[in-house]
Amino acid sequence: MNAATNAVKTAPGKHRLLALAAAWLASRALMLWLLAHNAVPLLGRGGVAREVWRLYHHWYGVLAHGAFPAHDPLWQYPPGAGPVLLSPALLPGLTYFQAFVALTLASDAAITLALAHAGTRPGRALLGAAVWVGGLPLLLHLPLARYDVQVTALAVISLLTLSRSTRAYGAFAALGALVKVWPALVLLGTPRGRTTRSSWVWAAVTGALSLTLLAAVFANPFAFLRQQGGRGVQIESLGGTALALATHAGWPGAVRYQYGALEFTGPHVRTVAHASLALTAVAFGLLLLWRLRARRWTPATPYDAALSAVLLFTVTSRVISPQYMIWLLGMAAVCLTSRHTVQRPVAALILAATVLSSVAYPLLYAEVKACTWTGCGLMLARNGLLAAAAVLSLTRLWRSTAAPPRTGPQAPRVSPDARGATPAVPV
């Protein structure tokens, strides 16, 4: 009888996993088809795939000779990006482009498996895996031609290992940060005490050792800092949206391709760029203040904090490239694996913004570049959703971790922390 009961209980879970696998196969086949037809005008006239077979392949040739492309203004990535761009060499029977896409799909599959595995554990949900499987194709074929899926895999796996190993959590976060900086933000929401000390120490040790190794193998490991410092205001950023609207009020600026993106040039652009950096500093200050004042942690708090941090730094950035949505989808998916998350409305806003990102690029990118009313309205809607998501995310995170109001003598609330222990909270 017990065996029969258990079989009945597990059957729906198996069916959901099979449905998830079928959805992944079908959606990724569609993404591959779109990539194969990316020369169609509506799909970007080949511009999406060009990033890999021209730019990444060029950097591959430089990296293969033991140096980072120090004098290339398009090289703006930390040293950990080097091994990722060299990784297609692991599949010698394929062209660079084919191998890169294959490894990107493998990283995508790893994220899906990690989310699905986490979703089948007690107190968890498969909603996170479903959001990732269904959300990534909303960006059409773009994710297959950028290395942001690989970076997101490191961040996702880092967060999902926290409940079992703070060492792995810190190590994966550090490796992700060496590839594209932002995964360091996943360390923000660790419960205070032993969990924070262990994970941060392991992140620091892993980062230092990996950076030392990369500096020993490749020349010019810190050349990217010079290129990053010269970046301006990209047309798809929040500041870029303000400047695009200003063109309709007589502002004489123009759009120019520089530092690997279309950026605004003209009067007051530097002021807008400095304002973006100031907003980033304010966001960092708010996150630090939250951490200092937080009093309650649930199993979802590290996930929710990671999503909130990545959202805030994305929205205040001078650049919001379409592939940044991959990061947000990954962090939102991790949140939705936990039934304790407070970020469900935020995830819905991110999905809506993802759809608009695909309309902006590649579908109607000509309108965005020309700063037409259609392009301005599209970016205003997309960035408005992201700004609303960032504010809502931080607000819900703050409220969920605030000390409960005192209504009289009561027993302390107990909640399992991210390591599976059960400390009393408030902390």
Side-chain angles (χ1 to χ4, degrees), residues 10-246:
T10 57
K14 289 182 179 179
H15 290 158
R16 287 194 291 269
L17 289 173
L18 287 173
L20 199 65
W24 188 89
L25 289 171
S27 59
R28 275 45 181 184
L30 176 60
M31 292 170 71
L32 284 170
W33 184 89
L34 291 172
L35 186 62
H37 294 81
N38 93 117
V40 174
L42 198 61
L43 295 178
R45 300 180 184 274
V48 174
R50 190 179 302 124
E51 187 99 354
V52 177
W53 61 259
R54 178 179 292 179
L55 187 59
Y56 289 3
H57 194 205
H58 166 68
W59 286 339
Y60 171 87
V62 178
L63 290 163
H65 287 87
F68 290 100
H71 303 293
D72 188 342
L74 302 184
W75 179 256
Q76 303 152 17
Y77 307 107
V84 175
L85 296 175
L86 285 170
S87 62
L90 297 172
L91 303 175
L94 303 176
T95 66
Y96 183 86
F97 181 84
Q98 292 169 339
F100 181 89
V101 173
L103 291 173
T104 304
L105 281 172
S107 299
D108 173 21
I111 293 173
T112 305
L113 288 172
L115 292 168
H117 177 71
T120 57
R121 291 163 56 191
R124 299 299 191 96
L126 283 172
L127 181 58
V131 164
W132 174 259
V133 169
L136 197 66
L138 296 178
L139 291 169
L140 306 178
H141 52 304
L142 177 74
L144 300 181
R146 300 292 186 274
Y147 76 88
D148 295 86
V149 174
Q150 288 88 322
V151 181
T152 303
L154 292 170
V156 167
I157 293 172
S158 171
L159 284 169
L160 293 179
T161 58
L162 174 57
S163 61
R164 301 192 176 194
S165 171
T166 55
R167 297 176 179 181
Y169 166 62
F172 277 110
L175 292 175
L178 279 176
V179 178
K180 220 168 188 182
V181 180
W182 70 264
L185 296 172
V186 305
L187 295 168
L188 182 71
T190 51
R192 287 195 287 267
R194 185 166 60 93
T195 301
T196 291
R197 288 194 299 272
S198 175
S199 57
W200 289 15
V201 165
W202 275 91
V205 170
T206 303
L209 291 177
S210 300
L211 188 58
T212 300
L213 177 62
L214 289 168
V217 174
F218 296 98
N220 309 312
F222 302 107
F224 74 100
L225 295 172
R226 182 171 59 253
Q227 274 72 261
Q228 273 288 348
R231 298 208 68 167
V233 179
Q234 188 232 19
I235 63 173
E236 295 167 70
S237 66
L238 209 63
T241 301
L243 291 173
L245 289 169

Side-chain angles (χ1 to χ4, degrees), residues 125 184 203 211 245 262 267 290 345 361 370 384 403:
L211 188 58
L245 289 169
L262 289 172
W290 162 77
Y361 183 85

Side-chain angles (χ1 to χ4, degrees), residues 67-427:
F68 290 100
H71 303 293
D72 188 342
L74 302 184
W75 179 256
Q76 303 152 17
Y77 307 107
V84 175
L85 296 175
L86 285 170
S87 62
L90 297 172
L91 303 175
L94 303 176
T95 66
Y96 183 86
F97 181 84
Q98 292 169 339
F100 181 89
V101 173
L103 291 173
T104 304
L105 281 172
S107 299
D108 173 21
I111 293 173
T112 305
L113 288 172
L115 292 168
H117 177 71
T120 57
R121 291 163 56 191
R124 299 299 191 96
L126 283 172
L127 181 58
V131 164
W132 174 259
V133 169
L136 197 66
L138 296 178
L139 291 169
L140 306 178
H141 52 304
L142 177 74
L144 300 181
R146 300 292 186 274
Y147 76 88
D148 295 86
V149 174
Q150 288 88 322
V151 181
T152 303
L154 292 170
V156 167
I157 293 172
S158 171
L159 284 169
L160 293 179
T161 58
L162 174 57
S163 61
R164 301 192 176 194
S165 171
T166 55
R167 297 176 179 181
Y169 166 62
F172 277 110
L175 292 175
L178 279 176
V179 178
K180 220 168 188 182
V181 180
W182 70 264
L185 296 172
V186 305
L187 295 168
L188 182 71
T190 51
R192 287 195 287 267
R194 185 166 60 93
T195 301
T196 291
R197 288 194 299 272
S198 175
S199 57
W200 289 15
V201 165
W202 275 91
V205 170
T206 303
L209 291 177
S210 300
L211 188 58
T212 300
L213 177 62
L214 289 168
V217 174
F218 296 98
N220 309 312
F222 302 107
F224 74 100
L225 295 172
R226 182 171 59 253
Q227 274 72 261
Q228 273 288 348
R231 298 208 68 167
V233 179
Q234 188 232 19
I235 63 173
E236 295 167 70
S237 66
L238 209 63
T241 301
L243 291 173
L245 289 169
T247 62
H248 294 276
W251 179 65
V255 174
R256 178 185 300 170
Y257 182 80
Q258 55 188 17
Y259 293 99
L262 289 172
E263 298 183 346
F264 279 107
T265 59
H268 312 301
V269 171
R270 187 54 55 186
T271 301
V272 173
H274 290 158
S276 296
L277 292 173
L279 286 173
T280 299
V282 170
F284 186 67
L286 287 172
L287 290 167
L288 286 180
L289 183 61
W290 162 77
R291 182 168 176 83
L292 291 173
R293 300 190 64 177
R295 292 294 178 266
R296 295 183 296 169
W297 260 263
T298 73
T301 299
Y303 306 164
D304 294 349
L307 175 59
S308 186
V310 176
L311 259 172
L312 284 168
F313 277 82
T314 298
V315 168
T316 59
S317 174
R318 294 170 294 171
V319 179
I320 306 181
S321 297
Q323 58 265 28
Y324 289 15
M325 300 305 301
I326 300 172
W327 315 346
L328 299 177
L329 285 170
M331 296 299 94
V334 172
C335 290
L336 295 177
T337 63
S338 175
R339 300 185 188 277
H340 297 272
T341 185
V342 295
Q343 301 292 319
R344 290 186 183 88
V346 177
L349 291 176
I350 290 172
L351 286 171
T354 301
V355 173
L356 290 179
S357 287
S358 293
V359 177
Y361 183 85
L363 301 183
L364 295 181
Y365 203 49
E367 301 286 337
V368 177
K369 287 191 293 185
C371 300
T372 66
W373 281 114
T374 298
C376 288
L378 187 57
M379 295 317 305
L380 187 64
R382 198 283 300 268
N383 289 338
L385 284 171
L386 288 180
V391 173
L392 181 63
S393 178
L394 183 61
T395 301
R396 293 178 71 87
L397 174 68
W398 201 293
R399 290 175 178 172
S400 70
T401 56
R406 297 185 178 276
T407 57
Q410 57 182 351
R413 179 181 169 184
V414 177
S415 173
D417 79 350
R419 286 182 52 82
T422 53
V425 288
V427 176

